[in-house]
Amino acid sequence: MAHARWRRNGPLTVDLMALEPLLHRLQFRLATADLNSGFIFALPIPGMKYDERMMSLLITWSPRRLDGYTVEIRSNESKRRSNSSCQKLARLIAGELNVVMGC
């Protein structure tokens, strides 16, 4: 299973209204979000590019501290594969996610 993971530190504000269009541009949809518990889970839009790779996107943070967030992207690709879909998606989303999450 391939994955990409990173942490971004800094003051955090979670704006779901801004996050949903970003996810949609990346061909993902919001599956579950619990701001009180500190997580957002997204899955590919059915029939779109990332759906066949069974990818998932998880964003977590501490609702008490709001001092940063962690992103984890997973797929059913081999982790030995270089330049996997996880790595490509991580490069696409990293900069834009910082704007949406306020870090």
Side-chain angles (χ1 to χ4, degrees), residues 52-80:
E52 66 189 38
R53 292 177 183 89
M54 299 177 62
M55 294 186 75
S56 63
L57 170 68
L58 178 65
I59 304 168
T60 59
W61 65 91
S62 168
R64 286 187 189 168
R65 295 189 312 262
L66 295 173
D67 62 349
Y69 62 92
T70 302
V71 178
E72 188 168 340
I73 302 170
R74 292 184 177 264
S75 79
N76 66 350
E77 300 169 289
S78 169
K79 68 178 180 178
R80 293 181 183 179

Side-chain angles (χ1 to χ4, degrees), residues 3-52:
H3 71 282
R5 183 181 174 149
W6 71 93
R7 171 137 179 97
R8 180 69 61 156
N9 294 314
L12 176 67
T13 57
V14 181
D15 183 358
L16 281 179
M17 296 300 286
L19 181 61
E20 286 189 78
L22 170 61
L23 290 174
H24 190 69
R25 280 195 313 274
L26 297 169
Q27 301 177 2
F28 275 75
R29 64 178 171 79
L30 191 62
T32 307
D34 187 341
L35 303 182
N36 293 324
S37 297
F39 77 90
I40 295 169
F41 184 67
L43 294 169
I45 296 171
M48 299 301 270
K49 179 178 168 181
Y50 296 114
D51 189 32
E52 66 189 38

